[in-house]
Amino acid sequence: MLLAQERDEIVATGRRLAETGLVAGTSGNVSVRVGDLVAVTPGGMMLDRMEPADCPVVSMSGRRVEGERAPSSETPMHLALYEATPAAAVVHTHSTYGAVVATTMTELPPIHYNTLLLGGVVKVAEYATYGTPELAENVRAAMAGGRRAALMANHGGVAIGRDLEEAFENARLLEWLCGVYVRAKAIGEPRVLTDEELAKVVERGLTPPEPW
């Protein structure tokens, strides 16, 4: 079976995403790239009920190479991110706070210095119908500049990483930052950190990811 280890990792990550509430039902998707091949979650299947053989393998052009199930409808977005970055994994979520921010904002303000760990201010990609080339291009634009995560207007969030563990943690951090913002907004106007304040955090030792 092609990319057997990577398919195992996708299945395990799918269960973690469901357990942590970052996805619900059949929403969300995960992929891992190895060379010119990509293992991805199947379309229309709950992520906590997958088995490795359920995860198809596609080429970078989107052609199915192995697997009985059709790949996720969001595969074009995953492939666009692989084309634009050296990322080896993509995690797309429909988390609650991420969806709230993505429905109301054009970006997630840096109200906490951990924003730096995602490569800077998180942008909200312009809305487009799911699974379309337009959405893929909008997400790619929102991730420009070395960012590791983005939100998708009226949809959810997406995170990338050098491996699947990093992509998952970036997705979890994105949801945490959105949650802090939404809860802070409920009791007052959140204070946004300035560029100077963020630079001082870097001086203290917090290391942002290197630009790709």
Side-chain angles (χ1 to χ4, degrees), residues 10 13 17 29-33 38-41 74-75 77-82 85 87-93 139 143 148 157-164 166-168 171:
I10 287 173
T13 300
L17 288 168
N29 32 77
V30 179
S31 71
V32 176
R33 177 183 182 180
V38 175
V40 62
T41 47
E74 294 291 11
T75 299
M77 177 185 68
H78 290 244
L79 297 179
L81 290 173
Y82 290 133
T85 74
V90 177
V91 172
H92 165 43
T93 66
V139 170
M143 297 278 264
R148 293 333 197 239
V158 60
I160 59 178
R162 292 168 294 184
D163 54 37
L164 193 46
E166 183 175 85
F168 172 82

Side-chain angles (χ1 to χ4, degrees), residues 101-119:
V101 173
T103 303
T104 56
M105 311 287 291
T106 57
E107 66 179 29
L108 175 64
I111 60 171
H112 193 282
Y113 55 78
N114 276 344
T115 299
L116 293 169
L117 297 176
L118 296 180

